[in-house]
Amino acid sequence: MDGVVRELLGRQLEAWLSRAVARGRPSVVALAYGPGALLAATDSAEAVLGVLAEHASQLRGRQLTVLVLADGSEELPARLGAMEATLPAETAVHLVPGGPARLPVAVKAAGATGAPLLSYLDGAGATDPAVLAASAAGRPAELLLVTEAVPPPAASTAAGVPPTASSSATPASAGLSSSVRARLADAGFPLTTQVDLVPVDGSPARRLAFGTGHDRSLEAFKENLWAADDDTLVRYRDPADPAGQLLDIAPEPESLRQELLAELARSGPRTVTELRRHALTATAYRSVDVQRALTGLLRCGAAVRDPEHGRLGGDVVIAVARHL
């Protein structure tokens, strides 16, 4: 689990750096860990500094501040101090005692308001409205957030787990898990998506959410999501899937076909562009996966298109076949 999150964080940081550095403005990376994430704090923060060290030549002459908000052992400052020594002089690393609750003060002190800001929040307090608002204060701002994941009720029942307080969410935890995207949108991120990371050993799943203001950043996140090491003992789960089907870390068109059919049944005919947007923001899939899924639906007669012939371009309208 932690390995997958570290890989995704590293990949997103690389993509963000290329844009932030190009702007030539002081930039901020903020990493905040609640009490439930302290064991992973040292490894993931060290991984972030490792990515920055790999791009040291790109960072020279550019002011970058890295904030690490966590309460931990003496190991954390020792290991981060060793990594900081490999970074350009313009890159400053500040270890701030506390967790996500300290983020609003920390990013303001670092001058992140209006500057390029990449935030990573993990653990208790990560979804507090004030914390999310602070992470959205950058221009541009991007956020990776990890919190608890509650399986859909249908998934719990299918697995033979009775709907108790431990297997189906309590009202409070269910509301928290299902509202992560809404909270990111309320905080000021116009583009959001989320996916559950489910360990195959049965340990608790985590929900990974992403917020941004740019289509290219959202596309990059989805590409990074499906480029993760597929040998890992983690599967994905689309929070929008009531059945809670587990997905291998490799795009599988069948699940997306069913989701697209469900969306067409809910909303009526949609253009290919609209369905790509739906896949990008409301499912675990990428927009590029839609073409293959639609081709399969049209070939088997589950969906129809208008016009009937020609390239499957963005303005082609797709509908559920009437005989279904």
Side-chain angles (χ1 to χ4, degrees), residues 245 253-263 266 293 297:
Q245 180 180 355
E254 181 55 35
S255 296
L256 181 55
R257 289 172 191 163
Q258 296 307 313
E259 169 57 33
L260 293 178
L261 283 177
E263 173 64 12
R266 286 189 297 263
L297 290 174

Side-chain angles (χ1 to χ4, degrees), residues 16 24 33 44 52 72 75 96-97 101 112 171 182 195 204 211 236-237 244 250 268 270 275 283 285-286 314 323:
W16 176 84
Y33 305 89
S44 63
L52 297 180
E75 182 183 11
V96 181
V195 64
Y236 292 153
R237 182 176 64 209
R270 306 287 296 274
L275 291 174
T283 80
Y285 289 93
R286 306 168 297 180
H323 61 79

